[in-house]
Amino acid sequence: MTQVTERGTPLSAAPRAGVRRRSPAAAACVVGGAVAAGLGLGFLAVLVIVLWISSPYPDSGPGGALHLAAGLWLLAHGTELVRYDTLSGVPAPVGMTPLLLVVLPVLLMRRAARLGSAAEEDDEEVLPAGAVFSAVLCGYLTVGALVTAYAAGGPLSADPISAAWHIPLVAVLAAAAGVWGARGRPLGPLPSWLPRGVRKAVVRPRYALALRAGAGGALVLLGGGALVVGASLAWHGAEVQSSFLSLTGVWSGRFAVLLLALTLIPNAMVWGAAYALGPGFALGADATATPLGFPGAPGLPRFPLLEALPAEGPGTPLTWAVTGVPVVAGLAVGWFAVRRAREVSYGETALTAALGAVVCGLVMTGLAAASAGPLGSRRLSEFGPVWWTTGVAAFAWTAVLAVPVAVAVHAWRTRPAIGPDALEGDEAVAVDDGWHDSGVREIRWAAMRKAAGTLIPDIAVPPVPVSPAVPAVPAVPADPEAPVGVPGVRARRAVTVVSGLDLDPGLLVGVAGAAEVAEAVSVPLAPPVVGARVLARRKPPPE
C-alpha cells in the first residue's frame, strides 16, 4: 500500500480558483451579428405580412410578401433592385433608398457590436476590438448573402454587384461605430503605417474645429431644406391631399402610402437643400427643378411628396428667396470656425473656415448620392440631386461666406478694450500709484480698525537684527500727517468679512488728514459696505 501511494501515477491538480473561465465570446459575436440582421429582416417581414393580410386585393401569396420584405431589407442597405415584370418588358431598376429605412440596420448592427465588446461577468473573456468587429461582421454578412440569394426569385431581385458592396459598406460603418462607442470613443494615435507628416497634421486643433464647423453648416442646410419642403407642402396642401386620397380607397393601402412618404422625408430634406443651393434635383432625363425655373415633368407618378413641386415656368422672387438657406449655412460655418480666436492668427482662422467649407461640401455630396437613384427606365432613370454639383455648390456657398465672416469674428473677439472712460497705460499706472502713495489706503484701514474696536490690536513688528557687515538702514520717521494710532510699520494680517458692521465714509470724519488726502486724490473711495464686521482670522494650530 505504501508503494502504491509513493510510486503511483500522480493525480491531476484541481483547477485553481484564480484561473479565468474562457467563454466562446467569438462565437457569441458571430451569432449577435446574425441576430441583428435577422431582427431587421423580421421587422420588415412582419410589417409586409400585416399589410398583405389587411389588403382586400392581394396580388400574390405569402411567398411574394416574404420576397418583398427581403427586397426592402436589401434596399435599406442601398442595394439596387430590379423589377422584371413591367408592361414594356424592359427591366426597371429601383435604386432610390429611403434614408429613414437605413436607420434600422445601422442601429441593430451598432447594438450588436456594442454588446459583443462588453462582458456580462467579471471573469468573462473580453475580445479585442478587431476580433469583435470581424466576428460581428461575419455573422451579418452571412445572413446578407442568404437574403440576396432568396430575393432573386421574387418580384424585386437584387443586383448582385450592387449588393456585394452596399451591404458590407453599411455593416462596416455601423460595426465600427459600435465598437468605438463601446471602448469609450477613444481618440488615440493614428496607425503607425501612415506618414509621419499626416499623423502630425491631423492632431492639430484646426481639424476638429473644421469638422464641427462643416457639420454645423450641413445641419443648417438640411434644416433649411426641411423648411423649404414643409412650406411647399403647406402651399400645395389641396393637391397633396387629393393625391393621397386618389391612390387607394382602403385604409391598408393609405397606411402603406403614408409609411412610404414618412421614410422618404429625409430624402426630401436633402432635395430641398440641393434646390436651395442652386443645382436643384432631376425629375427624369430631361427635367430639373431649380430656383431659376422648372420646365415640368409630365411623366411623373402621382405621389403626395411630388405634388409639392414648384409650378412650371421661370423662377419667381418666392423661389429665389430659398437662396437665404446657404447664406445662413455659410454664416454658421464661419461662426463655428472661431472657437479659439485669442490663440491663433487670422490666417489660421481663415484656413479653419475653408476646411469647414470642404467638410460641408463632402457631407452634402454623400447625402445627395445616397438620396438619389433611378425609379425606372427611360424618363425615370435619373431621379434626385446630382451628387457632384450639389457638393460643389455647398462648398462654394460656404467658402465664400465663411472665410470673411470668420476673419471678422476673429477681429471682433480680439479687439482691445476701448470705451469712453478707458485710460491709456501710463495714465492707469499714474492713478494706481496715486492711490497707493496718497495715504488713502492707510486712512481706510484706520477707519476700519477704529470701528472694530479692540478686535484688531496694534502689533508692532520687532526690529530685525542687522549683520555688522551691512550698514544699518536708518529708521524712517513717522509721517506727521499720518492718522493717529497707526504705526509706521504694520504687519499684514488676514481678515474675514462678516455681517454686523456699517462701513461708511462718515467714519473717516475726525481722522487727522483725512479731508486733505481725500481732496488730493481724484479716485473716490470704495462704496460703503452695510452690515459687516472685520475679525482677525486665527492662525491654524501647529502640526
Side-chain angles (χ1 to χ4, degrees):
M1 188 66 181
T2 304
Q3 295 178 356
V4 173
T5 57
E6 290 181 356
R7 300 180 183 179
T9 304
L11 299 177
S12 60
R16 292 177 298 174
V19 178
R20 295 170 54 186
R21 180 176 57 86
R22 301 181 63 87
S23 61
C29 290
V30 174
V31 174
V35 169
L39 288 176
L41 181 61
F43 174 80
L44 294 176
V46 170
L47 182 61
V48 172
I49 288 295
V50 169
L51 294 177
W52 173 77
I53 293 175
S54 60
S55 176
Y57 309 106
D59 295 335
S60 59
L66 293 178
H67 280 90
L68 180 59
L72 289 178
W73 187 84
L74 295 173
L75 186 63
H77 294 78
T79 303
E80 184 175 310
L81 305 179
V82 181
R83 185 166 56 92
Y84 293 98
D85 188 11
T86 59
L87 297 178
S88 60
V90 179
V94 179
M96 191 174 68
T97 302
L99 294 183
L100 192 60
L101 203 61
V102 182
V103 177
L104 178 65
V106 169
L107 290 181
L108 291 174
M109 186 61 173
R110 180 176 178 271
R111 179 178 178 272
R114 287 180 61 90
L115 293 178
S117 302
E120 298 180 358
E121 300 178 0
D122 296 338
D123 60 343
E124 187 175 353
E125 177 188 7
V126 179
L127 293 177
V132 174
F133 174 80
S134 302
V136 174
L137 195 62
C138 179
Y140 195 91
L141 293 182
T142 301
V143 177
L146 296 177
V147 173
T148 304
Y150 177 77
L156 292 175
S157 61
D159 184 7
I161 299 178
S162 179
W165 70 274
H166 277 99
I167 298 178
L169 177 62
V170 175
V172 164
L173 294 178
V179 173
W180 182 60
R183 302 292 177 176
R185 298 180 178 87
L187 297 176
L190 295 177
S192 58
W193 51 266
L194 289 176
R196 184 177 181 182
V198 174
R199 285 181 290 168
K200 286 186 176 181
V202 170
V203 297
R204 294 179 179 176
R206 78 160 71 104
Y207 295 101
L209 290 176
L211 288 175
R212 296 172 185 172
L219 288 177
V220 171
L221 287 176
L222 293 177
L227 182 62
V228 170
V229 173
S232 183
L233 287 174
W235 186 268
H236 302 86
E239 293 84 352
V240 172
Q241 182 180 5
S242 175
S243 174
F244 179 75
L245 297 177
S246 61
L247 285 176
T248 178
V250 296
W251 69 269
S252 58
R254 291 177 179 177
F255 182 68
V257 172
L258 180 61
L259 288 180
L260 180 59
L262 291 177
T263 56
L264 289 173
I265 285 180
N267 300 61
M269 294 170 58
V270 179
W271 290 25
Y275 182 82
L277 287 170
F281 49 88
L283 293 171
D286 302 326
T288 302
T290 64
L292 300 179
F294 177 49
L300 291 178
R302 299 204 63 182
F303 192 71
L305 291 179
L306 295 179
E307 298 297 332
L309 294 174
E312 299 182 9
T316 61
L318 186 61
T319 59
W320 301 337
V322 298
T323 56
V325 173
V327 171
V328 177
L331 296 179
V333 173
W335 178 266
F336 287 118
V338 198
R339 296 289 299 275
R340 298 165 53 247
R342 297 188 180 275
E343 303 177 12
V344 297
S345 61
Y346 286 96
E348 181 74 12
T349 301
L351 180 59
T352 303
L355 291 176
V358 172
V359 172
C360 182
L362 293 177
V363 171
M364 294 306 300
T365 299
L367 290 177
S371 65
L375 285 180
S377 58
R378 299 178 183 177
R379 289 185 177 181
L380 298 180
S381 59
E382 299 178 6
F383 222 73
V386 181
W387 60 271
W388 68 270
T389 57
T390 304
V392 170
F395 167 73
W397 274 102
T398 52
V400 169
L401 294 171
V403 174
V405 167
V407 173
V409 174
H410 183 109
W412 175 260
R413 292 183 180 180
T414 56
R415 71 191 187 281
I418 299 177
D421 299 333
L423 300 175
E424 298 295 336
D426 298 339
E427 298 179 5
V429 172
V431 171
D432 188 72
D433 292 339
W435 166 266
H436 288 84
D437 297 340
S438 60
V440 175
R441 184 175 55 178
E442 288 79 6
I443 296 174
R444 183 181 180 188
W445 176 254
M448 295 171 62
R449 176 188 171 279
K450 181 180 179 180
T454 59
L455 294 177
I456 307 180
D458 295 334
I459 301 177
V461 179
V464 180
V466 182
S467 175
V470 181
V473 180
V476 180
D479 189 358
E481 301 295 333
V484 180
V486 180
V489 180
R490 183 179 299 275
R492 297 183 178 178
R493 298 179 60 84
V495 297
T496 305
V497 179
V498 297
S499 60
L501 178 64
D502 183 5
L503 294 182
D504 191 85
L507 297 175
L508 298 177
V509 179
V511 181
E516 292 78 359
V517 175
E519 294 177 358
V521 182
S522 59
V523 180
L525 296 178
V529 181
V530 179
R533 184 174 55 186
V534 180
L535 298 177
R537 182 180 298 173
R538 296 182 179 179
K539 297 182 179 180
E543 298 182 358

PDB file of all heavy atoms in Angstrom, residues 400-413:
ATOM      1  N   VAL A 400     -17.239  81.042 -49.682  1.00  0.00           N
ATOM      2  CA  VAL A 400     -17.278  82.475 -49.983  1.00  0.00           C
ATOM      3  C   VAL A 400     -17.762  83.284 -48.782  1.00  0.00           C
ATOM      4  O   VAL A 400     -17.294  84.406 -48.541  1.00  0.00           O
ATOM      5  CB  VAL A 400     -18.178  82.713 -51.211  1.00  0.00           C
ATOM      6  CG1 VAL A 400     -18.476  84.191 -51.398  1.00  0.00           C
ATOM      7  CG2 VAL A 400     -17.517  82.153 -52.460  1.00  0.00           C
ATOM      8  N   LEU A 401     -18.671  82.726 -48.003  1.00  0.00           N
ATOM      9  CA  LEU A 401     -19.215  83.465 -46.861  1.00  0.00           C
ATOM     10  C   LEU A 401     -18.488  83.159 -45.557  1.00  0.00           C
ATOM     11  O   LEU A 401     -18.364  84.039 -44.697  1.00  0.00           O
ATOM     12  CB  LEU A 401     -20.702  83.127 -46.706  1.00  0.00           C
ATOM     13  CG  LEU A 401     -21.604  83.585 -47.844  1.00  0.00           C
ATOM     14  CD1 LEU A 401     -22.991  82.996 -47.682  1.00  0.00           C
ATOM     15  CD2 LEU A 401     -21.677  85.097 -47.894  1.00  0.00           C
ATOM     16  N   ALA A 402     -18.010  81.943 -45.376  1.00  0.00           N
ATOM     17  CA  ALA A 402     -17.447  81.560 -44.078  1.00  0.00           C
ATOM     18  C   ALA A 402     -16.103  82.210 -43.815  1.00  0.00           C
ATOM     19  O   ALA A 402     -15.816  82.627 -42.681  1.00  0.00           O
ATOM     20  CB  ALA A 402     -17.318  80.036 -44.006  1.00  0.00           C
ATOM     21  N   VAL A 403     -15.245  82.327 -44.820  1.00  0.00           N
ATOM     22  CA  VAL A 403     -13.902  82.870 -44.591  1.00  0.00           C
ATOM     23  C   VAL A 403     -13.952  84.330 -44.143  1.00  0.00           C
ATOM     24  O   VAL A 403     -13.364  84.685 -43.105  1.00  0.00           O
ATOM     25  CB  VAL A 403     -13.042  82.680 -45.855  1.00  0.00           C
ATOM     26  CG1 VAL A 403     -11.698  83.378 -45.688  1.00  0.00           C
ATOM     27  CG2 VAL A 403     -12.824  81.195 -46.127  1.00  0.00           C
ATOM     28  N   PRO A 404     -14.634  85.234 -44.855  1.00  0.00           N
ATOM     29  CA  PRO A 404     -14.688  86.622 -44.342  1.00  0.00           C
ATOM     30  C   PRO A 404     -15.417  86.760 -43.017  1.00  0.00           C
ATOM     31  O   PRO A 404     -15.044  87.578 -42.178  1.00  0.00           O
ATOM     32  CB  PRO A 404     -15.391  87.398 -45.461  1.00  0.00           C
ATOM     33  CG  PRO A 404     -16.113  86.380 -46.264  1.00  0.00           C
ATOM     34  CD  PRO A 404     -15.305  85.139 -46.166  1.00  0.00           C
ATOM     35  N   VAL A 405     -16.458  85.952 -42.812  1.00  0.00           N
ATOM     36  CA  VAL A 405     -17.170  86.024 -41.532  1.00  0.00           C
ATOM     37  C   VAL A 405     -16.271  85.566 -40.393  1.00  0.00           C
ATOM     38  O   VAL A 405     -16.240  86.175 -39.315  1.00  0.00           O
ATOM     39  CB  VAL A 405     -18.455  85.173 -41.604  1.00  0.00           C
ATOM     40  CG1 VAL A 405     -19.054  84.972 -40.220  1.00  0.00           C
ATOM     41  CG2 VAL A 405     -19.466  85.840 -42.511  1.00  0.00           C
ATOM     42  N   ALA A 406     -15.511  84.503 -40.610  1.00  0.00           N
ATOM     43  CA  ALA A 406     -14.615  84.023 -39.569  1.00  0.00           C
ATOM     44  C   ALA A 406     -13.538  85.052 -39.232  1.00  0.00           C
ATOM     45  O   ALA A 406     -13.212  85.281 -38.063  1.00  0.00           O
ATOM     46  CB  ALA A 406     -13.971  82.704 -40.011  1.00  0.00           C
ATOM     47  N   VAL A 407     -12.981  85.703 -40.264  1.00  0.00           N
ATOM     48  CA  VAL A 407     -11.960  86.727 -40.012  1.00  0.00           C
ATOM     49  C   VAL A 407     -12.561  87.913 -39.265  1.00  0.00           C
ATOM     50  O   VAL A 407     -11.956  88.475 -38.344  1.00  0.00           O
ATOM     51  CB  VAL A 407     -11.324  87.160 -41.345  1.00  0.00           C
ATOM     52  CG1 VAL A 407     -10.383  88.335 -41.132  1.00  0.00           C
ATOM     53  CG2 VAL A 407     -10.566  85.999 -41.970  1.00  0.00           C
ATOM     54  N   ALA A 408     -13.790  88.301 -39.630  1.00  0.00           N
ATOM     55  CA  ALA A 408     -14.437  89.422 -38.946  1.00  0.00           C
ATOM     56  C   ALA A 408     -14.741  89.090 -37.487  1.00  0.00           C
ATOM     57  O   ALA A 408     -14.529  89.914 -36.587  1.00  0.00           O
ATOM     58  CB  ALA A 408     -15.723  89.808 -39.686  1.00  0.00           C
ATOM     59  N   VAL A 409     -15.225  87.896 -37.245  1.00  0.00           N
ATOM     60  CA  VAL A 409     -15.494  87.495 -35.857  1.00  0.00           C
ATOM     61  C   VAL A 409     -14.198  87.412 -35.058  1.00  0.00           C
ATOM     62  O   VAL A 409     -14.147  87.784 -33.885  1.00  0.00           O
ATOM     63  CB  VAL A 409     -16.251  86.149 -35.843  1.00  0.00           C
ATOM     64  CG1 VAL A 409     -16.415  85.625 -34.427  1.00  0.00           C
ATOM     65  CG2 VAL A 409     -17.617  86.309 -36.493  1.00  0.00           C
ATOM     66  N   HIS A 410     -13.141  86.940 -35.702  1.00  0.00           N
ATOM     67  CA  HIS A 410     -11.838  86.891 -35.031  1.00  0.00           C
ATOM     68  C   HIS A 410     -11.381  88.299 -34.637  1.00  0.00           C
ATOM     69  O   HIS A 410     -10.914  88.511 -33.506  1.00  0.00           O
ATOM     70  CB  HIS A 410     -10.820  86.249 -35.966  1.00  0.00           C
ATOM     71  CG  HIS A 410      -9.460  86.075 -35.364  1.00  0.00           C
ATOM     72  ND1 HIS A 410      -8.961  84.854 -35.022  1.00  0.00           N
ATOM     73  CD2 HIS A 410      -8.498  86.970 -35.030  1.00  0.00           C
ATOM     74  CE1 HIS A 410      -7.749  84.992 -34.513  1.00  0.00           C
ATOM     75  NE2 HIS A 410      -7.447  86.274 -34.513  1.00  0.00           N
ATOM     76  N   ALA A 411     -11.511  89.247 -35.567  1.00  0.00           N
ATOM     77  CA  ALA A 411     -11.107  90.615 -35.251  1.00  0.00           C
ATOM     78  C   ALA A 411     -11.966  91.217 -34.138  1.00  0.00           C
ATOM     79  O   ALA A 411     -11.479  91.958 -33.289  1.00  0.00           O
ATOM     80  CB  ALA A 411     -11.199  91.474 -36.514  1.00  0.00           C
ATOM     81  N   TRP A 412     -13.248  90.887 -34.139  1.00  0.00           N
ATOM     82  CA  TRP A 412     -14.129  91.436 -33.116  1.00  0.00           C
ATOM     83  C   TRP A 412     -13.799  90.884 -31.732  1.00  0.00           C
ATOM     84  O   TRP A 412     -13.818  91.612 -30.740  1.00  0.00           O
ATOM     85  CB  TRP A 412     -15.577  91.136 -33.476  1.00  0.00           C
ATOM     86  CG  TRP A 412     -16.569  91.553 -32.416  1.00  0.00           C
ATOM     87  CD1 TRP A 412     -17.168  90.767 -31.499  1.00  0.00           C
ATOM     88  CD2 TRP A 412     -17.056  92.873 -32.187  1.00  0.00           C
ATOM     89  NE1 TRP A 412     -17.996  91.484 -30.702  1.00  0.00           N
ATOM     90  CE2 TRP A 412     -17.964  92.803 -31.099  1.00  0.00           C
ATOM     91  CE3 TRP A 412     -16.828  94.104 -32.788  1.00  0.00           C
ATOM     92  CZ2 TRP A 412     -18.620  93.911 -30.612  1.00  0.00           C
ATOM     93  CZ3 TRP A 412     -17.481  95.222 -32.297  1.00  0.00           C
ATOM     94  CH2 TRP A 412     -18.362  95.113 -31.221  1.00  0.00           C
ATOM     95  N   ARG A 413     -13.501  89.602 -31.656  1.00  0.00           N
ATOM     96  CA  ARG A 413     -13.220  88.998 -30.359  1.00  0.00           C
ATOM     97  C   ARG A 413     -11.852  89.371 -29.811  1.00  0.00           C
ATOM     98  O   ARG A 413     -11.630  89.304 -28.603  1.00  0.00           O
ATOM     99  CB  ARG A 413     -13.322  87.472 -30.468  1.00  0.00           C
ATOM    100  CG  ARG A 413     -14.729  86.973 -30.717  1.00  0.00           C
ATOM    101  CD  ARG A 413     -14.771  85.453 -30.734  1.00  0.00           C
ATOM    102  NE  ARG A 413     -16.131  84.967 -30.970  1.00  0.00           N
ATOM    103  CZ  ARG A 413     -16.468  83.675 -31.038  1.00  0.00           C
ATOM    104  NH1 ARG A 413     -15.533  82.755 -30.900  1.00  0.00           N
ATOM    105  NH2 ARG A 413     -17.712  83.323 -31.264  1.00  0.00           N
TER     106      ARG A 413
END
